Each structure stands twice: as structure tokens, then as C-alpha cells.
Amino acid sequence: MSSLVVDLMLCGMAYVVLIYFIATLTKARIPRDRDNGDDGDGGVEDLTPPKIDLPPGIIWPSDGPVKRIKDPVDF
């Protein structure tokens, strides 16, 4: 076998071992005895919509004029 083939095989094995260690060391460690209902994001949820500064003359549909429906007239 030429030295090039031996070098390629050794590099391939080193690559496989390196990827194996990286994959095992970076996987998420989830304890089995904990409740899985936790979101895990932490903090307080803020469900209010963001305040967006709109250009002049542009309004949100919810802030626009309200159309009033007139009651039907009986004859």
C-alpha cells in the first residue's frame, strides 16, 4: 500500500472519531426524571403586540373610524 492510501485511511478514521466525540459532547442532556411540560425558554411571556411607529396618514384598521349600523326603520 502506498503512503497516500495509508494517510487517507488514517485521516478518515480520525474524522469519524472526531465527529463521534463532537456529536456525543454537544447533544442535549435531558434528565429522565423531570416533567417534560417545561417550555425551557425562561423569563416572562409578554403577549402584547409591539408598538410600531407608522408614517403619517397610516393607521391600523383597529384604530380607524367605526362604522355604525343604523337600526332598520319600521313603517
Side-chain angles (χ1 to χ4, degrees):
M1 249 193 271
S2 70
S3 63
L4 178 65
V5 174
V6 173
D7 286 342
L8 288 176
M9 287 174 39
L10 288 175
C11 286
M13 287 191 301
Y15 178 76
V16 169
V17 169
L18 185 70
I19 295 299
Y20 172 76
F21 280 123
I22 290 174
T24 56
L25 292 176
T26 59
K27 71 177 180 180
R29 291 179 174 85
I30 301 174
R32 300 291 178 210
D33 58 344
R34 285 185 42 191
D35 182 23
N36 289 335
D38 184 21
D39 289 341
D41 57 352
V44 178
E45 291 185 24
D46 185 16
L47 300 177
T48 58
K51 303 293 184 206
I52 299 175
D53 186 24
L54 297 173
I58 306 296
I59 59 171
W60 288 107
S62 61
D63 296 337
V66 178
K67 294 182 181 177
R68 304 226 192 283
I69 299 174
K70 297 180 181 179
D71 293 331
V73 178
D74 292 331
F75 291 105

